[in-house]
Amino acid sequence: LDVSKLRAGGDRDTIKKIGVTLREICHNQGFCYLVGHGLDVQNNEISDVANQFFKLTFQEREALAIGNSPHFRGYTFLGDERTKGQADWRDQIDFADEQDAPNLSSDDPAWLNLRGPNQWPENLPSMKPVITNWMRDMHVLGKIMIGALAEGLGLGRDYFEPYFDPRGDARLKLIRYKMPAEGGTGQGVGWHHDTGFLTFIRQDNIGGLQVNINGEIIDATPMDGAFIMNLGEMLQVATGGYLRATPHRVKTPPAGSERHSIAYFFNPKLECEFAPISLPKELAGQAVGGQNIDPDDPVFSIVGQNILKTRLRAHPDVATKFYGR
C-alpha cells in the first residue's frame, strides 16, 4: 500500500479512497507492506544504533535487564521471553515513551505501572536521542494510518484522535533473532496476536516472519524500503471483530546467522476502554465478535489491561518480582 498521498495531506476524497483500500486489506488479511511512508527504513540511524547495542558486551546489556523494571523496559536475554510457555530465541531491548514512574496506591490498576522510565546504556549515549526521534516519527505515521482507516470505516478521519491525546502509550522493541551456541528451537517468537492498535515492523533482509491468514501460513518476505503493518486486538474489540488481529510468528534463522527487526506498537492511552463502535450496516454484518477463538486467550476492553496480560505471560521474572504473579 502506497501511503505517500496520505503523508502529503491529500484531499478528503483521496484519503477516503485510500482508507477504503486500507480497510479492505485490514479486514481480509490484517497484514500489509507500507511504502511511500517517508521514513528511511533500510539505512538510518536507528539501524546503526540497534547494531551498536547488540555489539555491547554481555555485562553492559545485562546491566539493563528487564527484570530491573516494573515497567517492562530494558534488555531481555536470549531465550528468556516466553510465548505460550515456550522460550523465544531472540534477545531484545524494550522502550516506551519516557515518563516518571507512577506513584500508585493499592486501589490503582496494576497496568498503570506500564508507564515509567526507560533504561539506557551508559556507553551508547547516542541511543536515547535516536530512539526518541524514531518514536516521534513513527507516532506521526501511526496517526496518519489510523486517520485513513477511520475514514475507510465510515467514522470520519478524527474519530480515534481522543484515544491518542496527547500521545497514547506506544512501545518499541529492537530485536535480534539467533540460535544459541547450544540447544534452541525454531521458535524465534511463537504464534501470537499483538495487543494494541497498529504495529509497524522494520525487517532486515533475513526472512522468518510468517502470517496465518484463514489457515494458510504465508511468508512475509522482506521488501526493500517497506514496513510491515498489522493490527492489534484493541482494533478487534473496537470493531466487534470486523477487523481482527492476525496470528503471526517468527522462525529462528539458521545457526550462524542473525535476523534483526524493529517493532513499533502504536497504542492508545492505557486508560482507554473500547466497546464495539457503530459501523455502517454493510460492515457491521461482517463483524464476528471481538474475542479470540481461544477461550484461554481473552481480549480485555481496557488497553492497559490487555497489554499487561501479555507482558506478564512473556516475562515471568518481572511478573514474579513486581506483580506477585
Side-chain angles (χ1 to χ4, degrees):
L1 181 68
D2 187 342
V3 298
S4 56
K5 291 181 179 179
L6 293 179
R7 188 170 52 86
D11 60 81
R12 181 164 185 178
D13 287 344
T14 299
I15 293 171
K16 181 66 176 289
K17 183 178 180 180
I18 298 172
V20 169
T21 301
L22 176 63
R23 181 197 78 205
E24 290 301 307
I25 291 170
C26 291
H27 175 64
N28 292 309
Q29 288 87 26
F31 265 73
C32 68
Y33 296 98
L34 286 189
V35 298
H37 45 70
L39 292 170
D40 187 348
V41 172
Q42 299 300 333
N43 301 299
N44 53 40
E45 289 180 319
I46 192 149
S47 301
D48 293 339
V49 82
N51 289 333
Q52 291 173 49
F53 172 77
F54 288 113
K55 289 178 180 177
L56 293 175
T57 66
F58 177 76
Q59 289 75 20
E60 289 172 309
R61 286 178 277 124
E62 184 181 32
L64 309 177
I66 199 168
N68 300 332
S69 170
H71 322 295
F72 296 90
R73 319 286 180 88
Y75 178 66
T76 301
F77 305 108
L78 183 67
D80 269 12
E81 191 175 36
R82 299 286 187 271
T83 301
K84 295 185 177 179
Q86 302 299 312
D88 294 326
W89 292 105
R90 63 180 186 173
D91 61 345
Q92 63 192 18
I93 184 165
D94 279 76
F95 300 100
D97 290 322
E98 187 76 34
Q99 301 177 65
D100 293 333
N103 184 15
L104 302 181
S105 73
S106 57
D107 295 326
D108 289 317
W111 44 258
L112 283 174
N113 230 0
L114 292 168
R115 293 184 177 133
N118 294 303
Q119 299 191 76
W120 302 102
E122 291 185 6
N123 292 334
L124 191 53
S126 63
M127 180 169 245
K128 185 173 183 178
V130 168
I131 293 296
T132 301
N133 291 340
W134 181 258
M135 294 189 72
R136 178 201 63 209
D137 292 344
M138 293 304 299
H139 178 78
V140 172
L141 178 60
K143 290 190 73 173
I144 289 171
M145 297 310 301
I146 206 67
L149 184 57
E151 282 281 6
L153 290 168
L155 304 172
R157 187 175 184 179
D158 297 332
Y159 181 87
F160 291 113
E161 283 284 335
Y163 297 97
F164 295 89
D165 184 20
R167 277 191 63 85
D169 280 285
R171 295 188 296 115
L172 178 76
K173 290 177 179 282
L174 308 182
I175 310 166
R176 176 176 62 173
Y177 297 89
K178 61 181 292 188
M179 289 290 282
E182 297 181 3
T185 70
Q187 180 171 302
V189 61
W191 288 109
H192 67 285
H193 307 98
D194 289 346
T195 53
F197 236 56
L198 294 176
T199 303
F200 300 90
I201 303 167
R202 187 212 74 98
Q203 303 188 90
D204 64 10
N205 60 2
I206 304 296
L209 176 61
Q210 294 185 321
V211 184
N212 184 335
I213 300 177
N214 299 321
E216 181 181 0
I217 297 176
I218 298 172
D219 291 319
T221 305
M223 178 187 294
D224 286 348
F227 283 114
I228 293 284
M229 190 191 82
N230 65 279
L231 310 183
E233 290 172 335
M234 298 318 299
L235 268 172
Q236 183 172 303
V237 171
T239 62
Y242 173 76
L243 302 178
R244 299 192 65 82
T246 305
H248 54 287
R249 69 177 178 186
V250 176
K251 296 172 66 177
T252 312
S257 63
E258 297 180 355
R259 178 183 187 271
H260 290 252
S261 69
I262 299 167
Y264 176 80
F265 302 90
F266 180 69
N267 296 332
K269 293 178 293 186
L270 298 177
E271 295 90 348
C272 291
E273 185 169 7
F274 287 89
I277 56 185
S278 296
L279 295 173
K281 185 176 180 180
E282 65 273 17
L283 305 184
Q286 302 174 64
V288 295
Q291 283 300 321
N292 289 327
I293 296 172
D294 182 355
D296 294 326
D297 187 20
V299 183
F300 298 109
S301 59
I302 299 174
V303 174
Q305 185 180 12
N306 204 51
I307 292 174
L308 181 61
K309 73 172 184 184
T310 56
R311 301 277 79 200
L312 293 172
R313 290 192 307 231
H315 297 281
D317 51 347
V318 180
T320 300
K321 184 174 180 180
F322 297 107
Y323 293 86
R325 304 293 178 92

